Amino acid sequence: MRMVDLINKKKQGGELTQAEINFIVEGYTSGEIPDYQMSAFLMAIYFKGMNKKETANLTLTIINSGDQVDLSEIKGIKVDKHSTGGVGDKVSLIVIPLVASVGIPVAKMSGKGLGHTGGTIDKLEAIEGFKTNFSRDEFIHNVNTYKMAIAGQSANLTPADKKIYALRDVTATVDSVPLIAASVMSKKIASGADAIVLDVKVGSGAFMKSLAEARELAQTMVEIGKSLNRKTIAVITDMSQPLGHEVGNANEVREALEVLQGRGAKDLTTVALTIASYMAVLGEAYTDFHNAYKGLQKIIHSGQVVNTFKQLIKIQGGNPEVIDNPGKLPQAKYHVEVKASQEGYVTAINAEAIGVSAMLLGAGRKKKDDLIDYSAGLTMVKKVGDKVNAGDTICLLHTNLEEYNEAENMVRSAYSFCDTEPKPINYIYEVIQ
Ligand code: URA
């Protein structure tokens, strides 16, 4: 087999066999196929796509490129969730204790953030002492004992995805449905999940900018799950503005806690309860979505899940005092008010621009080894639909940097206004099962 012939086959829209996909993925991972040929191949996929069979085969080949985590010692149905990435997306922080509180084992393996979307581990590491580098035995012990644990992905999980993703990132081939679907599903399946709930984001802060694209991605991932015997549900949720009011690691921990205390922002609470409810149904704690949603709402209002979150922090070595005293979370030195230059209703907030601003303030990484400032971030004081007068504060920047003009300007231009009240935004668009 020659790589040039396979690039040409895909360029003409041909269907690749399992053997051809193996040849390409294995050859690239081992270094035999160079970046320039793989780049051309990825671009051919970007334009010509892959059918269901090819996408499922690509997923399998990526899974087989590294270790698979064996969670069979954990009792019960292991349900995992994955978000395709958004700004202010702290849903995992909420659903881990919430789903664990109904007895479903949550064995969460997460990555670190890069670029404008943050990672769950970065957020939790804003809590003093919080660690995720547990041995496999400790991790399994914690899930069996407390029904929850979180760990970083093992170094040898889906190495093919790590290498291909890094190349996609610099060749403008990230936003391809088969490539995203195979990347996400390979990681979830290699991590040992029995059932998976996918939060597919759509809008200005997401890879998928239109509902049609998000639907195609959601359907493709659900099909892959089905073909590999994992119960999979995809929920398409809004990312046309940041989720909730807080962006940045410590800020997002604080806001997740507010949701668990029953006083969270409506959009964030609705999305988190929806994802948690589908996880609870797949884990067989409830028979249907509506009962699960009502049951989990009740648990939040009873106050008991705050203690479960406290327990999670303790298990992971973090300082649980942040629950009773969120002032113990890292605090930035400067808090800068961004003011509206005109009167009107907020009609849109470019979520990606807000994510990039948070990164410029120190909350995210430009390169994979950058250090992050846990206290940096933004508070979206005004969101879509809010009425503002000229001079009102629309957003607060939190930073330790003296130079924040670029972020401030970016935030100002991320907001759009008009004279008439916009239609309310849907938080959940569709559910694909
Ligand atoms: N998240 C992933 O894990 N992979 C992608 O390709 C895109 C988003």
Side-chain angles (χ1 to χ4, degrees):
M1 247 182 260
R2 290 194 322 153
M3 182 64 179
V4 63
D5 298 329
L6 302 179
I7 299 171
N8 203 30
K9 184 171 180 186
K10 187 41 78 185
K11 187 180 81 182
Q12 316 283 349
E15 178 183 330
L16 298 170
T17 65
Q18 168 84 72
E20 288 167 338
I21 292 173
N22 281 345
F23 172 83
I24 296 167
V25 173
E26 283 167 14
Y28 183 61
T29 312
S30 68
E32 277 155 56
I33 292 172
D35 281 354
Y36 53 83
Q37 283 191 310
M38 192 63 178
S39 305
F41 176 68
L42 293 169
M43 194 55 88
I45 294 181
Y46 179 87
F47 283 110
K48 294 293 178 178
M50 278 185 144
N51 65 22
K52 284 182 194 147
K53 201 162 129 207
E54 288 174 296
T55 311
N57 282 336
L58 177 63
T59 310
L60 257 183
T61 310
I62 296 176
I63 294 171
N64 291 332
S65 70
D67 299 339
Q68 288 188 52
V69 184
D70 178 6
L71 297 181
S72 56
E73 289 163 49
I74 296 174
K75 299 176 245 32
I77 303 171
K78 277 87 59 192
V79 186
D80 202 353
K81 70 149 294 251
H82 185 86
S83 157
T84 55
V87 178
D89 182 359
K90 67 280 287 175
V91 169
S92 288
L93 276 56
I94 301 164
V95 305
I96 296 170
L98 194 50
V99 173
S101 70
V102 293
I104 296 170
V106 188
K108 189 93 194 75
M109 275 168 237
S110 289
K112 300 216 171 221
L114 182 63
H116 75 276
T117 64
T120 296
I121 288 191
D122 295 324
K123 294 172 201 200
L124 287 166
E125 283 180 351
I127 301 168
E128 187 197 342
F130 199 102
K131 59 184 169 67
T132 53
N133 54 342
F134 290 96
S135 69
R136 179 181 169 276
D137 287 351
E138 284 172 311
F139 181 71
I140 288 179
H141 169 80
N142 286 345
V143 183
N144 272 333
T145 313
Y146 306 103
K147 298 289 169 209
M148 58 190 164
I150 179 158
Q153 273 158 9
S154 91
N156 199 36
L157 193 89
T158 60
D161 177 64
K162 289 196 184 87
K163 197 163 175 198
I164 296 171
Y165 193 89
L167 188 64
R168 287 166 59 207
D169 207 22
V170 292
T171 54
T173 50
V174 170
D175 53 341
S176 146
V177 166
L179 295 178
I180 298 179
S183 165
V184 168
M185 293 304 286
S186 61
K187 284 188 288 249
K188 293 291 104 179
I189 292 169
S191 301
D194 299 319
I196 302 156
V197 177
L198 300 160
D199 183 357
V200 178
K201 303 283 185 200
V202 60
S204 61
F207 291 121
M208 300 292 109
K209 307 286 182 208
S210 74
L211 185 56
E213 288 171 308
R215 188 182 293 130
E216 193 192 341
L217 176 61
Q219 280 166 344
T220 306
M221 292 196 288
V222 170
E223 295 273 347
I224 295 173
K226 226 196 287 173
S227 72
L228 298 174
N229 290 323
R230 304 301 196 280
K231 284 193 227 165
T232 308
I233 293 179
V235 186
I236 303 179
T237 69
D238 185 67
M239 189 36 67
S240 67
Q241 61 173 341
L243 188 57
H245 289 277
E246 303 292 345
V247 179
N249 302 291
N251 282 353
E252 294 194 36
V253 172
R254 205 175 294 118
E255 190 171 33
L257 179 60
E258 283 170 14
V259 173
L260 294 173
Q261 289 167 330
R263 50 191 186 88
K266 202 160 164 227
D267 59 346
L268 175 62
T269 304
T270 307
V271 172
L273 269 169
T274 303
I275 300 292
S277 300
Y278 282 112
M279 289 173 78
V281 171
L282 289 185
E284 299 181 0
Y286 295 92
T287 49
D288 65 79
F289 172 78
H290 292 288
N291 274 324
Y293 199 98
K294 272 197 276 168
L296 294 176
Q297 249 177 339
K298 240 193 210 161
I299 288 172
I300 289 182
H301 290 128
S302 74
Q304 81 188 68
V305 69
V306 174
N307 290 329
T308 316
F309 191 33
K310 203 182 221 177
Q311 190 175 44
L312 173 69
I313 296 172
K314 268 197 227 164
I315 300 166
Q316 307 273 151
N319 179 1
E321 285 173 35
V322 296
I323 296 285
D324 301 315
N325 185 0
K328 287 198 179 264
L329 285 162
Q331 309 277 340
K333 197 148 99 190
Y334 304 112
H335 305 279
V336 183
E337 295 179 7
V338 181
K339 296 188 185 279
S341 51
Q342 64 185 99
E343 181 187 332
Y345 289 91
V346 178
T347 50
I349 304 173
N350 183 324
E352 185 169 347
I354 296 294
V356 174
S357 311
M359 182 180 74
L360 293 174
L361 293 170
R365 294 185 186 83
K366 288 185 201 144
K367 295 191 284 1
K368 102 174 162 352
D369 296 323
D370 285 352
L371 288 179
I372 51 179
D373 176 353
Y374 295 114
S375 69
L378 306 105
T379 303
M380 318 297 306
V381 179
K382 299 289 180 191
K383 293 199 53 182
V384 171
D386 288 340
K387 173 95 172 56
V388 300
N389 292 312
D392 282 355
T393 301
I394 51 175
C395 184
L396 277 172
L397 315 183
H398 313 286
T399 189
N400 289 307
L401 302 174
E402 312 232 322
E403 182 49 67
Y404 45 74
N405 279 356
E406 192 183 351
E408 185 178 1
N409 292 336
M410 200 175 266
V411 168
R412 196 169 284 112
S413 47
Y415 274 80
S416 308
F417 301 93
C418 80
D419 295 337
T420 50
E421 192 171 354
K423 277 203 307 215
I425 290 183
N426 284 338
Y427 306 141
I428 311 288
Y429 293 100
E430 281 175 24
V431 178
I432 293 173
Q433 332 211 3

